[in-house]
Amino acid sequence: MNSLNSFLKATLVGGLVFLVPVVLVALVLRHALQFAAKIAQPIAAVLPVDQVGGVAVASLVAVAVLLLIAFAAGIVSRTGPGRRVTHWFEESILGGM
């Protein structure tokens, strides 16, 4: 019975350790997509189609905006100041986790 309790406890904790970061990433992406949608709406309004393959063009443009922002952030992170900021972030904020 004791091994069953420890198995259940370990499995529950392991599931939470797995799910919490997944949920946090999903929430951050949702908010980022909502932000990008505000930028994408005027762009999508200019395009001649409303949907592509059943997906709204505004959503596709919002995803493209996020990818462009991520690409730009990747370029900045490869510069000297970007590396210093990345190193500082990893040491100070992520190091405490």
Side-chain angles (χ1 to χ4, degrees), residues 37 39-51 56-62:
I39 297 169
Q41 288 295 335
I43 298 169
V46 176
L47 298 175
V49 293
D50 291 336
Q51 290 187 358
V57 171
S59 296
L60 295 174
V61 172

Side-chain angles (χ1 to χ4, degrees), residues 77 79-95:
S77 72
T79 64
R83 285 189 187 127
R84 285 192 294 277
V85 169
T86 301
H87 181 69
W88 171 83
F89 185 74
E90 289 174 351
E91 293 296 320
S92 63
I93 296 172
L94 295 178

